[in-house]
């Protein structure tokens, strides 16, 4: 059963990546997108988490490509479905811990994406319009997702490498009502030694001076993006004890 579920998930992500990939070199949405880099996200309480998809399919050559949602450019190479599945799981786990929004999980979003991809409705739709449609279907305020553009693991050990890990991915939050990009963030990092880049002390400190795997480097980036994303995680207020006077 688990093998079948994994296979279905891989097929879904492959289909979505093919659709989104076609829009990388095609026309972008005619909507006026207004990304914001900080502050608060207006009236955002419920979100569909679609997670990550590969920016390039396995048979493509490394190249510089633009996100079909935000327009940002990245040096990209083929990324496996296993990587994007892992990144989606990590993203959703951390959002659950934050209790930031009421969320529709990636599994439910997958069914709606499959429905759109299997219909005639997808013809002529841009990536943003497709994302907008998913949000409207669930009746949520926004849709959260991203692409993984590069995932190169280190060759070597914690203390010596032939070449270091290198990752690139982004996250975006699109408003369901009109397709406006409410927030975007990206992490594009090739690990360097402290001697090579004295300005990247934070990565050096978080790695404890070790050469990281691609996954560990990506987790530093994911944590950073979630901290930058507007919206304060909901916190349960502790009940106040009222002392009765005798």
């Amino acid at each position: 059963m688990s093998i079948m579920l994994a296979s279905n998930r891989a097929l879904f992500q492959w289909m979505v990546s093919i659709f989104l990939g076609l829009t990388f070199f095609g026309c972008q949405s005619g909507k006026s997108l207004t990304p914001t880099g900080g502050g608060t996200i207006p009236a955002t309480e419920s979100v569909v988490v679609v997670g990550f998809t590969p920016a390039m399919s396995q048979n493509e050559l490394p190249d510089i490509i633009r996100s079909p949602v935000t327009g940002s450019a990245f040096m990209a190479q083929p990324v496996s479905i296993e990587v994007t599945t892992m990144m989606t799981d990590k993203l959703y786990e951390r959002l659950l811990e934050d209790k930031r929004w009421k969320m529709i999980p990636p599994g439910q979003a997958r069914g709606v994406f499959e429905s759109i991809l299997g219909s005639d409705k997808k013809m002529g739709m841009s990536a943003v319009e497709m994302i907008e449609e998913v949000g409207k279907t669930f009746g949520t305020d926004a849709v959260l997702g991203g692409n993984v553009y590069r995932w190169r693991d280190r060759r070597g050990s914690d203390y010596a490498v032939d070449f270091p890990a290198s990752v690139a991915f982004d996250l975006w939050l699109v408003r369901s009502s009109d397709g406006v990009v409410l927030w975007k963030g990206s992490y594009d990092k090739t690990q360097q030694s402290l001697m090579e880049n004295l300005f990247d002390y934070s990565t050096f400190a978080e790695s404890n001076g070790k050469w990281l795997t691609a996954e560990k480097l990506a987790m530093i980036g994911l944590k950073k993006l979630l901290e930058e994303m507007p919206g304060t995680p909901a916190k349960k207020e502790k009940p106040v004890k009222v002392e009765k006077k005798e």
Side-chain angles (χ1 to χ4, degrees):
M1 182 65 174
S2 61
I3 296 176
M4 184 176 294
L5 288 175
S7 177
N8 289 341
R9 177 186 282 188
L11 177 60
F12 159 73
Q13 287 205 356
W14 176 80
M15 291 169 66
V16 172
S17 65
I18 290 297
F19 175 83
L20 295 180
L22 291 175
T23 66
F24 272 92
F25 301 101
C27 295
Q28 299 223 356
S29 171
K31 297 177 183 292
S32 175
L33 304 183
T34 56
T36 57
T40 59
I41 298 174
T44 304
E45 297 181 355
S46 56
V47 172
V48 180
V49 181
V50 298
F52 291 97
T53 56
M56 300 183 79
S57 60
Q58 289 296 316
N59 61 347
E60 293 183 271
L61 295 175
D63 200 356
I64 297 175
I65 59 175
R66 290 188 177 276
S67 165
V69 178
T70 68
S72 300
F74 298 87
M75 185 64 213
Q77 63 187 41
V79 175
S80 71
I81 295 296
E82 289 74 20
V83 164
T84 53
T85 297
M86 180 275 294
M87 287 290 288
T88 295
D89 291 343
K90 295 292 186 183
L91 169 65
Y92 192 64
E93 287 171 11
R94 298 200 177 198
L95 289 172
L96 284 176
E97 292 173 1
D98 282 353
K99 298 180 181 178
R100 194 182 300 249
W101 303 298
K102 296 176 183 177
M103 295 184 294
I104 302 297
Q108 292 186 39
R110 184 160 60 245
V112 174
F113 260 120
E114 289 172 347
S115 176
I116 295 173
L117 287 168
S119 70
D120 294 334
K121 186 185 293 187
K122 72 176 186 296
M123 300 302 295
M125 291 181 71
S126 69
V128 172
E129 288 169 336
M130 184 176 179
I131 293 163
E132 181 184 334
E133 184 69 22
V134 171
K136 287 179 178 177
T137 299
F138 284 106
T140 59
D141 297 320
V143 179
L144 177 69
N147 289 97
V148 180
Y149 299 89
R150 191 174 66 255
W151 190 275
R152 188 190 72 194
D153 217 338
R154 73 183 185 192
R155 178 181 292 175
S157 64
D158 288 351
Y159 300 103
V161 293
D162 293 327
F163 57 76
S166 180
V167 300
F169 56 92
D170 67 359
L171 277 174
W172 34 255
L173 191 70
V174 173
R175 190 159 60 197
S176 302
S177 61
D178 55 11
V180 166
V181 179
L182 296 172
W183 174 85
K184 65 176 181 176
S186 63
Y187 187 74
D188 190 340
K189 177 79 68 177
T190 298
Q191 190 180 5
Q192 295 176 296
S193 69
L194 189 60
M195 294 299 293
E196 290 176 297
N197 188 358
L198 292 172
F199 296 103
D200 194 21
Y201 180 78
S202 61
T203 302
F204 176 81
E206 291 196 62
S207 68
N208 294 317
K210 298 178 181 179
W211 292 104
L212 299 174
T213 62
E215 180 176 347
K216 290 181 178 178
L217 183 61
M219 290 306 102
I220 291 176
L222 184 60
K223 176 185 176 184
K224 177 177 178 290
L225 292 186
L226 291 179
E227 288 174 348
E228 292 176 355
M229 186 187 299
T232 303
K235 296 181 180 179
K236 293 182 179 179
E237 298 292 335
K238 294 182 179 180
V240 178
K241 293 183 179 181
V242 179
E243 295 184 1
K244 294 182 178 180
K245 295 183 179 180
E246 297 294 335

